Amino acid sequence: MTLLQTPTVVLLAVVLLVVPSLVAAQPAVTANCGQSVTPIIPSQCAPVAAIIGTFTTATRDCESADCCTWCEGDGECNTSQGLNNCFGDFDIYYKQCSNCTTQNCGQSLTAIPASQCASVAAVIGAFSVATPDCEAAQCCSYCEADNECNTSNSLNNCGDYDIYFKQCVGCTAQPTPPPTPPTAAPTAFCGQLTPLAPSQCATAIAVIGPLTHQTPNCEDASCCSYCEGDSECFTNRSLNNCAGGYDMYYKACPSLGCSAPPTTAPTTAPTQCGQVTPIPSSQCAAANASVGPLDWRTIGCDAAPCCGFCEGDGECGTTQSLNNCGGGTDMYFKSCGQGCTLPPTIPPTAPTPQTAAPTAFCGQLTAIAPSQCALAATIVGPLNSRTPNCETSPCCTFCEGDGECFTNATLDNCGGTDMYFKQCGVGCVIPPIPATPAPTTMCGNLLPISPSQCGAAIAAIGPLSHRTPDCENTPCCSYCESDGECRGNQSLNNCGNGYDVYFKLCQGCTLPPNFPPTPPPSSTCGQVMPIAPSQCAAARAALGGSITVRTPNCEAQPCCSWCEGDGECSTHVDLDNCGQADVYWKSCNGCQMPPTPPPTAPTAAPTQMCGQVTAISPRQCAEAAAALGGSINGTTPNCMVSNCCQFCEGDGE
């Protein structure tokens, strides 16, 4: 988006009134080659294309183009047809004549005050890498500075952006943006985010309330407040610094006077466990109304305020197997010697008729195959942290699991998302797997490139910008930029300016020339080698009969043994050489991989296979726990190794 493409008519009216030389009044004077033709820098290509249209073979050459505009050089007027400064194939110049007054640096550039940032953004659109820089921007408009025209790229007067007003001959005084409504809390986009220490979680809860799936994320949260990170704004969705699996940050905006989170909690915040008492089942409705919905994200008893409900996970003398409110939740009431008592029981509501349409219950959840991810994305939109979760989504559709309804928060079957299909016994079926899944929706094996290869990547895919293809959607055998999808590192910054560039390797690809070699093995990684599919049976036998998410990874496994790769030690997460598992042999002192066992005659099918596994309803959890020895925990047999006709715990196998 450029400064001419604004979401309101206010700025457009200003431009048309104060810069008539840019519109109809500008004479179409070619002056042949003009005074000079100057090549633009690659960072100006996208803004210029937005002004004059997409560069094509029909873009006017510099001899026939009007003065005071951009043109494409083909050797005329001392231009070069091999410059390739824009998108790899185009040679774009600016044609300067004696009557031009709208380009270069203008008369002056004035930094706007921080108090006007929100109002300017409301007029020209959110500040981003696409905001025109001050050399390419139109006169009498706002621009973002990157050291051109004696500006500073560290002014940061609008969060992370350096915003100026560009004054030229013919401009009236700088327009005053409309004031920001007094009730709108400024967000300043990402601001300055600081992860909380666990001791600060109670303060955050006292300020913004219990942590739930509705806690504001760090992109949308107001300045000078607390927020929960889900990979936006370079946050870490695996931080887990606050009880319940929450990744909590403090969002500071120095331009608004806040730079660090409060150091102490309010006096009303809990400082100890207090006295926690299991609640009767009749109180679950009251607990749900107070801190619900009740699930694994319900506030824990060490972080909850006094005189309130909380969910126990072993802290403060609680147990993880109480399950007094169903769905695996263990609910308590926390008193702290302040005379607080349980709230009155909420009377039960009339039973729901059997024919009532299913709402946001757990239903029956089935993990989808990676080949169905593209279909899921076409139905529910881009798969990310905002995809509807499986507890609140409607029946007969796709949903994302984060541990609710016994889903696996580390399934990662669709890149970094854990996708399921939700059935509710109303006749809905999983849509068929597409016959020919598009290879661009797969992650492939992402190999980070070295800084010396960034030039080759730019030559292949064009200048790095917000339009650079991401690694989930780019074709195989090409370069891409990762923002955390497909387990890419969004803090790699191997090509500068925050760009994290990889080569996407799939079956049949060859590496580009001079690709960086695999780094030498570390003392903890040893030398890991992918095994052949014919060796998978031997690996399974050595690893206890099956390969699951509990199989030791290659960093933790001892030398001279089999291991499962999850990206550590230069392993790949999509190798899939043993079914859906990525199995390696770890050698540290020259120990050799065991020989491949000879093929054996086919035998009768074992009884401990997958069989037909069906998710149980929350009402059956107590029955399952009783059959499995009294509780469901990390030692519960998984569904691949358990006997037939028994309950089992699913971890993606």
Side-chain angles (χ1 to χ4, degrees):
M1 183 175 201
T2 73
L3 295 178
L4 285 181
Q5 295 172 310
T6 58
T8 73
V9 299
V10 176
L11 184 59
L12 180 61
V14 172
V15 173
L16 293 177
L17 289 174
V18 301
V19 196
S21 59
L22 288 182
V23 287
Q26 170 67 49
V29 179
T30 63
N32 297 323
C33 291
Q35 287 183 317
S36 63
V37 285
T38 306
I40 68 173
I41 59 177
S43 64
Q44 296 175 319
C45 296
V48 169
I51 294 172
I52 68 172
T54 304
F55 304 141
T56 68
T57 54
T59 301
R60 295 183 67 174
D61 66 60
C62 292
E63 188 171 11
S64 64
D66 294 340
C67 288
C68 315
T69 189
W70 293 273
C71 55
E72 212 273 341
D74 282 316
E76 76 287 351
C77 300
N78 294 321
T79 60
S80 167
Q81 57 182 347
L83 180 64
N84 296 338
N85 57 335
C86 285
F87 309 132
D89 292 324
F90 296 96
D91 318 303
I92 304 300
Y93 292 77
Y94 180 75
K95 182 173 180 177
Q96 181 78 26
C97 300
S98 59
N99 63 330
C100 299
T101 59
T102 61
Q103 294 306 315
N104 301 325
C105 296
Q107 281 188 312
S108 64
L109 292 164
T110 306
I112 70 170
S115 60
Q116 291 186 335
C117 295
S119 299
V120 170
V123 172
I124 69 170
F127 305 137
S128 69
V129 293
T131 302
D133 66 56
C134 291
E135 190 172 11
Q138 293 286 347
C139 286
C140 315
S141 59
Y142 298 95
C143 56
E144 208 276 338
D146 283 312
N147 286 331
E148 74 283 356
C149 300
N150 294 319
T151 58
S152 167
N153 69 346
S154 58
L155 179 66
N156 295 340
N157 57 333
C158 291
D160 292 330
Y161 296 93
D162 318 300
I163 305 300
Y164 290 75
F165 182 78
K166 182 172 180 178
Q167 184 79 26
C168 302
V169 175
C171 296
T172 60
Q174 176 181 341
T176 301
T180 303
T183 57
T187 63
F189 307 107
C190 289
Q192 179 179 329
L193 297 172
T194 304
L196 300 187
S199 60
Q200 294 175 302
C201 296
T203 303
I205 293 166
V207 172
I208 64 174
L211 305 182
T212 71
H213 65 284
Q214 295 176 329
T215 299
N217 71 50
C218 291
E219 188 174 13
D220 300 329
S222 301
C223 289
C224 313
S225 184
Y226 299 92
C227 59
E228 209 269 340
D230 277 317
S231 297
E232 76 283 351
C233 298
F234 301 102
T235 54
N236 178 5
R237 67 179 301 179
S238 302
L239 183 63
N240 295 342
N241 54 340
C242 289
Y246 292 96
D247 318 304
M248 295 300 297
Y249 292 77
Y250 182 78
K251 182 172 181 177
C253 302
S255 62
L256 298 178
C258 54
S259 58
T263 56
T264 58
T267 56
T268 56
T271 57
Q272 71 285 324
C273 287
Q275 180 181 357
V276 290
T277 306
I279 66 172
S281 298
S282 60
Q283 285 278 336
C284 294
N288 186 74
S290 174
V291 297
L294 304 183
D295 59 18
W296 62 279
R297 290 165 294 195
T298 302
I299 187 168
C301 292
D302 54 346
C306 294
C307 306
F309 295 100
C310 59
E311 206 272 339
D313 280 316
E315 76 285 359
C316 299
T318 60
T319 176
Q320 293 180 314
S321 57
L322 182 63
N323 195 24
N324 53 339
C325 288
T329 54
D330 316 302
M331 294 304 299
Y332 292 78
F333 185 77
K334 179 174 180 177
S335 59
C336 306
Q338 300 177 7
C340 45
T341 58
L342 274 172
T345 301
I346 296 178
T349 57
T352 304
Q354 286 295 105
T355 57
T359 55
F361 295 105
C362 288
Q364 179 182 346
L365 299 173
T366 305
I368 69 174
S371 57
Q372 291 180 305
C373 298
L375 176 62
T378 63
I379 293 176
V380 299
L383 306 182
N384 53 38
S385 61
R386 295 183 175 89
T387 301
N389 72 55
C390 292
E391 187 177 17
T392 59
S393 66
C395 294
C396 307
T397 189
F398 296 96
C399 58
E400 208 269 342
D402 279 318
E404 77 284 354
C405 298
F406 301 102
T407 54
N408 179 4
T410 59
L411 180 63
D412 292 344
N413 53 339
C414 292
T417 55
D418 319 302
M419 295 301 298
Y420 292 78
F421 186 79
K422 181 174 181 176
Q423 297 168 285
C424 305
V426 293
C428 49
V429 295
I430 301 178
I433 298 175
T436 53
T440 57
T441 62
M442 300 165 58
C443 287
N445 292 326
L446 298 185
L447 306 180
I449 70 173
S450 67
S452 62
Q453 287 199 306
C454 296
I458 293 170
I461 62 176
L464 302 178
S465 71
H466 68 290
R467 295 187 176 92
T468 300
D470 68 72
C471 291
E472 188 173 9
N473 297 315
T474 197
C476 293
C477 314
S478 61
Y479 296 94
C480 58
E481 206 273 344
S482 176
D483 284 320
E485 75 280 359
C486 298
R487 295 182 183 267
N489 178 4
Q490 62 180 356
S491 302
L492 182 64
N493 196 22
N494 53 340
C495 287
N497 295 321
Y499 292 110
D500 319 301
V501 182
Y502 291 78
F503 184 80
K504 183 172 179 177
L505 184 67
C506 307
Q507 186 174 4
C509 299
T510 57
L511 288 173
N514 304 317
F515 202 84
T518 303
S522 68
S523 58
T524 56
C525 288
Q527 181 180 0
V528 290
M529 298 170 285
I531 70 172
S534 59
Q535 295 174 305
C536 296
R540 288 193 184 94
L543 291 169
S546 65
I547 301 170
T548 70
V549 294
R550 296 189 176 92
T551 300
N553 67 42
C554 293
E555 189 173 23
Q557 187 74 324
C559 294
C560 307
S561 60
W562 316 90
C563 58
E564 210 272 345
D566 281 319
E568 76 287 348
C569 301
S570 300
T571 59
H572 297 304
V573 298
D574 294 309
L575 182 64
D576 294 344
N577 55 339
C578 292
Q580 292 186 338
D582 318 305
V583 184
Y584 292 75
W585 171 258
K586 180 174 179 178
S587 173
C588 306
N589 299 304
C591 49
Q592 298 298 312
M593 190 184 308
T596 303
T600 58
T603 59
T607 58
Q608 294 181 344
M609 307 253 322
C610 290
Q612 181 178 357
V613 290
T614 304
I616 66 174
S617 70
R619 294 187 297 274
Q620 294 175 296
C621 294
E623 178 187 352
L628 292 168
S631 65
I632 301 172
N633 52 43
T635 62
T636 300
N638 70 50
C639 292
M640 183 180 288
V641 301
S642 66
N643 294 326
C644 293
C645 309
Q646 286 190 352
F647 295 102
C648 59
E649 207 272 333
D651 278 319
E653 75 285 348

